[in-house]
Amino acid sequence: MPLSDFAIRAAKPREKPFKLADGRGLHLLVCPNGGKLWRLKYRFGGKEKLLSFGPYPATPLATARRKRDEAKEC
């Protein structure tokens, strides 16, 4: 199920980092210090890679989804 802005704001830090999945490889990494980072998990040449889109709220949900779609086009 896709993320909502409310769910992102409500996510509280835990002892260990955790991910909130949005779909098609995009997820929000919530760090123990309270930081929230957008990341895209993808495969290239059979190897798993990570692409970072920046922190939330500097990079809002709509922008992260647009960047994911642009990255998937290449």
Side-chain angles (χ1 to χ4, degrees):
M1 185 157 112
L3 281 175
S4 66
D5 195 54
F6 177 77
I8 295 168
R9 285 180 295 173
K12 302 294 180 206
R14 300 179 188 165
E15 191 174 315
K16 294 183 179 182
F18 67 98
K19 300 174 187 176
L20 295 174
D22 184 55
R24 297 185 56 207
L26 181 66
H27 64 269
L28 185 72
L29 180 68
V30 181
C31 300
N33 66 1
K36 298 174 183 178
L37 306 168
W38 288 111
R39 291 187 165 183
L40 176 68
K41 184 174 154 182
Y42 66 99
R43 290 193 165 275
F44 183 77
K47 294 185 181 181
E48 187 176 295
K49 306 282 184 175
L50 273 177
L51 183 62
S52 180
F53 295 138
Y56 176 87
T59 306
L61 176 59
T63 303
R65 286 178 175 163
R66 183 178 45 79
K67 287 183 178 184
R68 173 201 58 199
D69 293 340
E70 289 172 0
K72 291 273 187 176
E73 286 178 4
C74 295

